[in-house]
Amino acid sequence: MGWFHSSVRSPSAQPLYSVVSVLRAKDGKSAGAGVLLAPTTLLTCAHVVNDALQRPMFDDREPSGERVKVTLHRPHEVTRTWAAVTHWLPPRRRVPGGPGAAGRLPVRPLQDAEWLGDLAVLEIEAADGEVHVPQWAPMAEGQMLRAWHGSARSSTYADVRVGPCDGEIGYMDGWPTGMAIGPAYSGGPLWSTMHNAVVGLVCAHVGPPTDAAGRPLPYTPQHIARRSWGMPWQRITEELRAAGAGHLFDPPEADADDPAAGLLCSLLKSLLPSGVRRADYARAVAGRCGYGYPEGASSPSPEEFAAFLVTEPRALAALSEVLRRNEPHAAAQLLAVGWLSRVPRLLAPREYRRLHDVLATVPAGALARLPEAVRAALPRTASFPVEEVAGHLGRDTSETSGTGTAQALDALLDHLEYLPGDSRSERGGPRVPALLTAVEYFSALCPPAQRAHLRLWSDGVAERLAVPRQAMTERRSVAAGWHQTQDRARAQGAVPRVLAQIGLEAGDRYRLRVWCDEGSGLRQVSTEGDVTYSATEAARVLLRAVESLYRTAPVESRPVVEALVDRGALNLPIDEWESVGPDDVVPEVLGVGYPLVVNCPDLRRKERFLHDWRDRWRKLDTGHTLRLDDAAVGVREVYAMLLDRTDTVRVAVDVPQALREAIVQTCLSVGVPVVVWDRQADDGGSHAVREMTAVTTRKLPEEVRTYRAKSVHRPQEFTGRPVLAWADADRTVPQLHLSEPQEGP
């Protein structure tokens, strides 16, 4: 092993604090335990993850995209966070020939008492603070070990002694007093006090015999008592290396052809000739990057230090961070040479974590505009397909479903880190990195608190890189100007729309008053006060009005049909109105051909809520989504909830039909500008509402239209009938005769 260890492993680590609780999704109780391999890497049993996700114990499907909740235990705090699977070795039948001989033979639950595999490595999303990563040692017969329940309570320790151990499975017997290894101990570390190290994981306990129905037989002294088995460390490393996870134990090797390695070695000899100083800097870099190092006064050779800088992506930035304090010129030389390699990334570990922390607080609507900011900031160099991640970044996710967003964000930031700067400063100093330029543009789109944090972050990175303050000020000014231009364009480039006041008459006949709005104001095009229409005839009138606007619509959008209705007509199937005439080549469905939204001015007449409506609309890109799917919720609770959560700009209503109408009207009355529901779902659980949850707010009209199109040609799959209420506070509606909607103009 070289000077830099692949993880910070301490022989003095308190064993209890290396236990991580893996929690069940259904009740938050411990499914089992895990142990830290590195500050942000967790090792546990695959069957523990299956239990946490409410899957069968021996399910061999990789839980792609799933996260489990875990609890980290520290001396003075407990942190609950999320972890995602990075390596998955499902349980498989044990056959002669070692771990590699079993292939993927499934475990037979009632027949197989032993199995191989059953390992899962997870990446922990937030693990800042003090961590306790233990040392590891091989398991051997005769060792005295200690295990803990998945809750990691100190009183749950169980002491055992290792019996037969063949390197693949080690059997253990417990003492007749104290706790016994049982349910929820799986995946936890087996700690050897003699070696001050973990020697394996708890896997299963061997219960007393049962009858054919699974009931325990009457106890006799001949029964097995307190026997369990675990996975030795030697088997764990063998299986994980075979699965491509060897980097968890072995430091990577430098590329022999890396052009920066030799130059960095020479530079380190010049900058840090003293072994003592080299050791000081090396320890600081190792700690920042999550690596361990030998105890004592040893130091890495310049060759080994240089190799580390071109194998660990954030080590170069971490070293420049340390050098910058006292030797800024040396830090600049180091970066200039190190960036000749393709491995080093722009950000130091702490900078990278801080950026993620700030972005995690940005509302989903604003985060969805990150690709837009990247395109504007880097029009010539940002070749990354940002549209592929835009959908993930725009999702209004719950805390249990944010993996796609995190992965999309990681992919985009990783790409931006490697892009060169966009230009040099006037003094010929370092370029402004592309990532910093993109962050400046994006911060201009964020709420004030996040904007301030992002700018402080940019200033800190720029200072470490010696980017002139004048250059950063220039980028910030340009970004602010771009944002103002975007705001003006949004206000002036509104999508053309057709507004139709629709009144229901007897015999399924309707009265219409129609206006067109190309963006410069309302223009009335229908004044037939006494004429009534069938649904087909009304569709034809509206389609003619839409077609007259089509050429004025922006290329990327379609004219919107806005149906102005009273509170009793919110669920009219206007989107299903179809024009079928003798001259029609194809039948046209109104809500399939064009985005169709409903607006109920009658519910927005209370003066006390007009300010709330306009304020929520201003926050449309940064505000929050509220999903109502509790069958027990009532109008009073919704009313109070919305007055408490004044940043709610959108509500998804997915409750039983008996409650739905009153709740929708409550949301609209108190000033929520965007409400979506399914007029057809009887008991909630709407497919349409669920699909629309993953769509950014401004894209809802078009996405609802495409859903309606799918419901026509794939009705078995797209079963919903979505209704979208949309009230744009920046655009006027005509003066309506709300008390007598049947009256003509």
Side-chain angles (χ1 to χ4, degrees):
M1 181 180 290
W3 197 90
F4 294 94
H5 300 174
S6 58
S7 63
V8 182
R9 295 173 182 166
S10 170
S12 62
Q14 291 296 319
L16 184 60
Y17 298 130
S18 65
V19 179
V20 179
S21 302
V22 181
L23 308 180
R24 294 192 185 99
K26 62 179 179 180
D27 56 16
K29 295 182 179 179
S30 296
V35 60
L36 293 171
L37 277 179
T40 60
T41 304
L42 166 67
L43 176 66
T44 186
C45 291
H47 79 260
V48 172
V49 175
N50 281 334
D51 187 20
L53 296 175
Q54 298 178 257
R55 307 196 319 171
M57 176 176 175
F58 296 117
D59 195 333
D60 65 354
R61 296 171 299 152
E62 182 170 354
S64 178
E66 298 279 0
R67 298 187 304 166
V68 295
K69 185 164 280 189
V70 300
T71 301
L72 306 176
H73 303 276
R74 294 164 176 151
H76 305 296
E77 64 176 340
V78 173
T79 302
R80 184 166 289 189
T81 183
W82 294 94
V85 174
T86 59
H87 294 85
W88 179 254
L89 285 74
R92 65 187 188 279
R93 198 179 310 166
R94 192 184 192 201
V95 299
R104 292 293 293 270
L105 292 173
V107 175
R108 298 164 296 188
L110 299 180
Q111 301 178 50
D112 297 321
E114 302 172 343
W115 54 85
L116 299 178
D118 201 9
L119 290 167
V121 179
L122 298 89
E123 186 70 18
I124 301 172
E125 291 188 1
D128 290 339
E130 184 180 2
V131 293
H132 291 259
V133 180
Q135 292 191 124
W136 292 79
M139 182 185 290
E141 185 171 348
Q143 289 174 336
M144 307 301 294
L145 307 179
R146 178 166 288 180
W148 288 268
H149 184 269
S151 63
R153 294 190 181 97
S154 57
S155 62
T156 64
Y157 72 91
D159 287 332
V160 295
R161 177 183 182 276
V162 180
C165 178
D166 61 3
E168 293 183 5
I169 287 176
Y171 277 95
M172 303 166 291
D173 286 336
W175 302 113
T177 59
M179 299 289 289
I181 288 176
Y185 277 76
S186 291
L190 289 164
W191 179 266
S192 169
T193 304
M194 177 179 292
H195 297 88
N196 285 328
V198 174
V199 300
L201 300 183
V202 177
C203 192
H205 71 279
V206 182
T210 60
D211 61 19
R215 294 185 294 265
L217 295 174
Y219 175 77
T220 75
Q222 297 299 315
H223 281 176
I224 295 174
R226 300 191 174 223
R227 177 160 293 172
S228 54
W229 63 267
M231 290 179 271
W233 175 240
Q234 48 268 47
R235 171 189 145 193
I236 292 170
T237 55
E238 180 182 353
E239 293 216 47
L240 289 180
R241 282 193 176 99
H247 63 279
L248 296 171
F249 325 109
D250 308 316
E253 295 183 1
D255 185 351
D257 297 325
D258 194 309
L263 294 173
L264 281 172
C265 180
S266 299
L267 186 60
L268 288 172
K269 289 178 180 178
S270 171
L271 296 176
L272 304 173
S274 165
V276 174
R277 291 187 64 215
R278 194 161 58 247
D280 288 341
Y281 283 113
R283 282 192 288 267
V285 173
R288 282 166 165 76
C289 296
Y291 280 72
Y293 46 84
E295 299 293 332
S298 67
S299 65
S301 67
E303 291 79 8
E304 187 175 10
F305 204 165
F308 183 67
L309 297 178
V310 294
T311 53
E312 169 54 42
R314 302 200 183 278
L316 181 72
L319 179 55
S320 74
E321 193 175 42
V322 180
L323 277 172
R324 180 69 185 169
R325 298 175 182 175
N326 301 317
E327 303 177 65
H329 181 67
Q333 284 183 284
L334 182 84
L335 290 174
V337 172
W339 282 341
L340 295 175
S341 170
R342 296 176 59 87
V343 174
R345 296 189 179 180
L346 177 73
L347 301 180
R350 290 194 293 189
E351 293 169 344
Y352 185 75
R353 288 195 298 269
R354 178 57 182 159
L355 178 58
H356 266 277
D357 290 344
V358 176
L359 293 178
T361 68
V362 176
L367 190 62
R369 299 184 68 185
L370 176 56
E372 175 188 345
V374 171
R375 286 191 295 265
L378 311 167
R380 288 178 291 184
T381 57
S383 58
F384 187 77
V386 292
E387 286 76 10
E388 293 183 11
V389 301
H392 288 291
L393 294 180
R395 291 184 179 176
D396 295 305
T397 55
S398 68
E399 65 171 355
T400 59
S401 59
T403 302
T405 298
Q407 291 174 343
L409 189 58
D410 284 341
L412 184 55
L413 294 180
D414 288 350
H415 172 72
L416 293 176
E417 278 196 84
Y418 282 112
L419 290 178
D422 53 351
S423 64
R424 293 187 179 276
S425 65
E426 293 182 0
R427 300 177 183 177
R431 293 185 177 190
V432 179
L435 175 61
L436 294 192
T437 301
V439 168
E440 286 298 331
Y441 272 69
F442 177 62
S443 68
L445 302 176
C446 291
Q450 286 82 8
R451 183 185 311 138
H453 286 303
L454 286 172
R455 287 178 173 175
L456 285 172
W457 177 88
S458 293
D459 288 341
V461 177
E463 183 179 359
R464 175 178 65 82
L465 299 174
V467 174
R469 182 176 295 274
Q470 180 182 356
M472 290 301 301
T473 302
E474 178 188 350
R475 299 300 182 280
R476 191 163 294 168
S477 175
V478 172
W482 167 77
H483 180 223
Q484 293 173 359
T485 301
Q486 291 297 104
D487 280 351
R488 287 195 298 269
R490 279 176 176 253
Q492 299 172 1
V495 175
R497 58 180 179 157
V498 169
L499 294 92
Q501 183 184 10
I502 300 174
L504 178 62
E505 293 286 313
D508 291 333
R509 305 287 293 182
Y510 304 91
R511 292 184 182 274
L512 293 179
R513 298 172 69 201
V514 182
W515 295 260
C516 287
D517 181 7
E518 293 90 345
S520 57
L522 297 172
R523 172 173 54 85
Q524 189 163 355
V525 297
S526 172
T527 58
E528 298 91 344
D530 298 325
V531 178
T532 62
Y533 301 88
S534 67
T536 298
E537 293 166 344
R540 191 173 297 118
V541 171
L542 294 175
L543 286 167
R544 281 202 301 266
V546 172
E547 288 168 3
S548 70
L549 289 180
Y550 197 80
R551 292 183 180 178
T552 67
V555 175
E556 68 275 7
S557 61
R558 303 163 184 257
V560 173
V561 177
E562 185 172 334
L564 307 172
V565 297
D566 61 29
R567 67 183 68 181
L570 283 167
N571 286 308
L572 274 179
I574 303 168
D575 53 279
E576 297 180 10
W577 288 358
E578 187 173 341
S579 173
V580 182
D583 298 328
D584 292 335
V585 177
V586 293
E588 290 198 64
V589 182
L590 190 60
V592 171
Y594 301 95
L596 186 143
V597 300
V598 298
N599 192 354
C600 187
D602 190 23
L603 290 172
R604 302 198 185 277
R605 300 169 79 177
K606 289 184 181 288
E607 190 69 30
R608 56 179 293 206
F609 292 125
L610 289 179
H611 172 77
D612 290 346
W613 168 42
R614 296 182 181 115
D615 186 58
R616 292 180 198 265
W617 180 262
R618 282 194 295 269
K619 300 174 182 175
L620 194 67
D621 293 313
T622 59
H624 293 286
T625 292
L626 176 64
R627 182 182 175 94
L628 300 175
D629 55 6
D630 185 352
V633 73
V635 169
R636 284 170 57 84
E637 291 86 354
V638 172
Y639 163 79
M641 199 181 305
L642 291 173
L643 291 189
D644 176 45
R645 304 178 183 180
T646 56
D647 58 349
T648 298
V649 300
R650 165 179 162 189
V651 177
V653 181
D654 196 12
V655 298
Q657 190 173 18
L659 301 169
R660 189 184 310 134
E661 184 174 350
I663 289 178
V664 167
Q665 292 190 22
T666 300
C667 295
L668 296 175
S669 296
V670 301
V672 178
V674 180
V675 182
V676 62
W677 70 96
D678 188 333
R679 64 169 173 266
Q680 186 167 283
D682 294 329
D683 301 318
S686 164
H687 178 265
V689 174
R690 186 169 63 252
E691 288 289 303
M692 292 306 110
T693 302
V695 178
T696 56
T697 303
R698 287 195 184 272
K699 292 182 179 179
L700 270 176
E702 177 61 19
E703 291 300 318
V704 169
R705 182 198 69 78
T706 60
Y707 185 95
R708 290 166 177 158
K710 292 183 179 76
S711 71
V712 172
H713 74 92
R714 293 157 64 186
Q716 301 302 320
E717 183 181 352
F718 291 84
T719 57
R721 295 295 180 269
V723 183
L724 176 61
W726 186 275
D728 187 336
D730 294 331
R731 305 188 75 176
T732 59
V733 296
Q735 193 70 33
L736 305 179
H737 299 271
L738 297 172
S739 59
E740 296 180 336
Q742 76 279 4
E743 182 180 322

